[in-house]
Amino acid sequence: MQTLPQTLFESLPDDLRERLGRPGQYPFTRGVYPKMYTERPWTMRQYAGFSSAEESNARYRYLLEQGQTGLSVAFDLPTQLALDPDHPLSVGEVGRVGVSIASIEDMKVLFDHIPLDQVTTSMTINAPATMLLALYLLVAEEQGVGWDKVGGTVQNDILKEYIARGTYVFPPAPSMRLITDLFAFCAQHVPKWNTISISGYHIREAGSTAAQEIAFTLANGKAYVKAALEAGLDIDAFAPRLSFFFASHNDILEEAAKFRAARRMWARVMKEEFGAKDPKSWMLRFHTQTGGSTLAAQEPLVNVVRTAYQALAAVLGGTQSLHTNAYDEALGLPTEKSALLALRTQQVLAYESGVTRAIDPLGGSFYVEHLTDALEAEAQRLIAQIDQLGGSVAAVEAGFFQREIEESAWTFQREVESGQRVIVSVNKFNRPDSPLNEATPIQHIDESLDRRRQAQIRAFRDQRDGQAAGNALEALRKAASSSENLMPHILEAFRRRATLGEIGKVLREEWGEYQPGY
């Protein structure tokens, strides 16, 4: 079936055409690309990773065989905190919420038989983002893939960790340094890599409203741009590789309007506030994940419906890539069956629903345009408050974000408990004897994994040249106390077979650990 004719836009009244603008043109309310999905659908990038590198590699290859078009790596908590699997704090957490990665050998296994010049990879990692990207680049080297051919995204968004998620390690100043070091290194050596994915997703999952998700995310984006400029980087050298990550929840029209408002706001921030000249620097390109916090343990199959509607909202709002949650994620990590059904949800949306035939199909709707304007106005009000506090870093230290999110989350919960807000199968239409409550298989992690991973990392250390690794770590320590870019030193440490935890330990000793003071 053909796409809608281009003359449709021309038939609109002059004032509406001027107000809406064209897709692919500033301020990008209607989308960052002129043809959007009419040319090709969004990237289907299912978030996955659990247990060992071997098991996660098998899941990635399975999903790619089923038609997934991009990879998204979930790391376990020790990896997210730059701890090796034999660290005392890692006990009981190895491989639980993602894959355990501590060495170059682990990373090689994770991407075994996956050519890194033929797939783009997103890595949800923040405090040690430079370290995981370094490992990825070294695997590309071993595959014979030049860094200029490597594409993907590293989340690398530490501010939202202080605000909403909690997997921070270092204090704000050195954390921002790591981020801008990565910006500078990739601008020179890894030009296709998106150096940050500024995340509203975790802010929304912690309980924010849609307007707060926009405001807090864009305020953080402004903080990263300012930090990069203060580090001497040219805005049009790094800004085109900034990307964003949002949640999509159940209110379809509000969510679609949220994405439209965020895109328009960021374009104006970059062009008018920061003076970026390259149109690519003005574009808010984003990945979307459906709302994990919206999934219910009661009648878990109903989550399939929730996820499908949330995915529709993201597509109507113009997302560049999408993850759809599995129906069993309120109970545990996705099984192979539930992960496949989540992918099929995207494929039905892309190939059967007809939504790819129109660009910004809700554009011009009185209600959606009203929502877009209203969300922008509320988000602008919040950003003005953050600016008055001195920006995102100061607002984090003052506890502003945290208090705002806590209040919104509490309001939502009160509405659910009072019945004012209906959650199907939770506070209404809930039948304990429902056939939809029949036992759902749960993905279990082998309890022996902790011991196996501890043995693997100890054997890895025993088999290397310990002095070479130690020398590389000492060079990193000296660089950490200087103003040198740390990325080359981290790469060299991994080449000399240092571990993730050893690199993290050096930086902890030099910089300390962040302790919330609000």
Side-chain angles (χ1 to χ4, degrees):
M1 198 167 181
Q2 292 184 345
T3 60
L4 291 173
Q6 293 294 324
T7 54
L8 188 65
F9 181 78
E10 305 298 340
S11 70
L12 295 173
D14 290 345
D15 61 336
L16 187 55
R17 272 190 290 136
E18 184 177 347
R19 173 176 164 72
L20 289 178
R22 291 181 180 276
Q25 292 183 2
Y26 180 87
F28 308 108
T29 309
R30 304 191 60 217
V32 292
Y33 300 119
K35 296 186 179 179
M36 289 300 291
Y37 310 135
T38 63
E39 201 162 63
R40 67 180 180 87
W42 58 92
T43 300
M44 299 179 193
R45 193 184 301 283
Q46 292 298 104
Y47 185 50
F50 64 100
S51 187
S52 66
E54 292 86 353
E55 289 179 87
S56 292
N57 172 264
R59 176 66 62 85
Y60 296 158
R61 290 165 66 179
Y62 171 75
L63 289 169
L64 289 169
E65 288 165 2
Q66 302 306 314
Q68 177 171 299
T69 53
L71 295 177
S72 182
V73 182
F75 296 100
D76 70 358
L77 283 175
T79 305
Q80 292 180 48
L81 295 171
L83 300 173
D84 285 341
D86 60 345
H87 191 282
L89 292 178
S90 299
V91 175
E93 290 293 347
V94 176
R96 296 288 164 182
V97 299
V99 61
S100 172
I101 299 293
S103 71
I104 181 60
E105 292 302 319
D106 294 335
M107 205 68 156
K108 284 163 62 176
V109 171
L110 187 64
F111 291 100
D112 186 39
H113 287 89
I114 298 174
L116 299 189
D117 56 344
Q118 296 177 32
V119 66
T120 59
T121 300
S122 173
M123 294 189 283
T124 302
I125 195 73
N126 295 285
T130 49
M131 305 172 208
L132 273 298
L133 178 57
L135 286 172
Y136 190 83
L137 294 177
L138 293 176
V139 171
E141 270 186 8
E142 295 225 1
Q143 290 186 1
V145 175
W147 291 353
D148 60 331
K149 303 291 193 302
V150 172
T153 305
V154 68
Q155 193 163 96
N156 197 28
D157 176 6
I158 201 62
L159 289 175
K160 68 93 175 51
E161 296 296 328
Y162 302 132
I163 292 167
R165 192 163 175 262
T167 57
Y168 44 73
V169 177
F170 313 113
S175 293
M176 296 296 275
R177 174 191 172 178
L178 282 172
I179 289 166
T180 56
D181 278 0
L182 193 147
F183 285 1
F185 182 86
C186 288
Q188 186 174 357
H189 300 288
V190 200
K192 294 183 179 179
W193 195 264
N194 296 319
T195 51
I196 194 168
S197 178
I198 305 159
S199 176
Y201 180 84
H202 303 96
I203 290 167
R204 190 66 180 282
E205 290 289 277
S208 81
T209 65
Q212 287 172 333
E213 182 185 2
I214 299 170
F216 298 169
T217 306
L218 299 195
N220 288 349
K222 288 173 60 176
Y224 293 126
V225 171
K226 288 177 181 176
L229 293 174
E230 288 169 2
L233 303 184
D234 175 70
I235 192 165
D236 289 317
F238 70 84
R241 302 317 303 177
L242 304 180
S243 63
F244 290 79
F245 174 25
F246 290 108
S248 187
H249 280 208
N250 288 329
D251 189 326
I252 294 174
L253 299 180
E254 181 180 64
E255 293 300 297
K258 177 187 76 180
F259 301 129
R260 300 173 86 247
R263 205 159 35 229
R264 184 163 74 198
M265 290 175 67
W266 185 248
R268 290 172 177 160
V269 163
M270 294 303 288
K271 183 179 183 182
E272 298 172 15
E273 189 171 335
F274 287 111
K277 302 290 190 248
D278 186 344
K280 291 181 180 178
S281 298
W282 310 334
M283 294 180 182
L284 185 147
R285 298 168 301 111
F286 66 99
H287 171 73
T288 307
Q289 181 171 338
T290 57
S293 65
T294 70
L295 304 181
Q298 301 92 326
E299 296 190 330
L301 285 173
V302 176
N303 293 328
V304 176
V305 183
R306 292 186 177 100
T307 295
Y309 288 148
Q310 293 165 7
L312 174 62
V315 169
L316 293 175
T319 192
Q320 274 61 69
S321 67
L322 179 62
H323 164 88
T324 36
N325 287 327
Y327 67 83
D328 54 358
E329 288 190 51
L331 303 171
L333 292 172
T335 62
E336 186 175 286
K337 175 183 175 181
S338 68
L340 178 59
L341 182 57
L343 174 60
R344 293 288 185 257
T345 301
Q346 290 206 53
Q347 291 167 331
V348 169
L349 186 59
Y351 298 107
E352 296 185 28
S353 72
V355 293
T356 59
R357 292 200 296 269
I359 305 166
D360 186 34
L362 299 180
S365 155
F366 291 118
Y367 184 58
V368 170
E369 295 300 342
H370 161 74
L371 282 174
T372 304
D373 292 344
L375 286 166
E376 179 176 5
E378 175 61 10
Q380 291 284 25
R381 183 188 70 79
L382 289 163
I383 289 174
Q385 285 185 268
I386 296 163
D387 287 343
Q388 287 175 357
L389 289 168
S392 282
V393 174
V396 166
E397 292 171 342
F400 172 78
F401 294 107
Q402 299 90 321
R403 288 191 297 272
E404 288 281 316
I405 294 170
E406 287 164 5
E407 180 62 33
S408 296
W410 174 233
T411 299
F412 181 93
Q413 188 59 31
R414 280 203 316 265
E415 291 173 356
V416 172
E417 292 179 4
S418 68
Q420 181 182 346
R421 183 183 293 269
V422 172
I423 309 294
V424 173
S425 75
V426 175
N427 66 354
K428 194 166 186 177
F429 313 114
N430 47 339
R431 288 179 47 198
D433 62 341
S434 168
L436 297 178
N437 276 325
E438 291 176 0
T440 300
I442 296 175
Q443 177 80 49
H444 289 287
I445 304 300
D446 187 347
E447 293 184 1
S448 69
L449 179 64
D450 271 46
R451 295 190 299 276
R452 285 194 285 118
R453 289 291 294 136
Q454 289 169 14
Q456 284 176 343
I457 198 64
R458 288 167 184 161
F460 175 83
R461 293 193 200 103
D462 289 343
Q463 293 164 9
R464 71 187 179 186
D465 181 338
Q467 183 170 350
N471 290 342
L473 289 168
E474 280 307 306
L476 172 63
R477 185 187 302 278
K478 290 178 183 177
S481 62
S482 74
S483 59
E484 283 187 70
N485 191 307
L486 294 185
M487 193 68 178
H489 294 281
I490 292 170
L491 281 160
E492 183 62 17
F494 279 129
R495 282 195 180 100
R496 300 301 176 187
R497 302 179 78 78
T499 67
L500 179 75
E502 289 171 332
I503 291 174
K505 183 173 183 288
V506 165
L507 297 182
R508 279 179 166 94
E509 289 170 353
E510 290 301 307
W511 296 338
E513 295 188 6
Y514 176 69
Q515 301 295 331
Y518 59 90

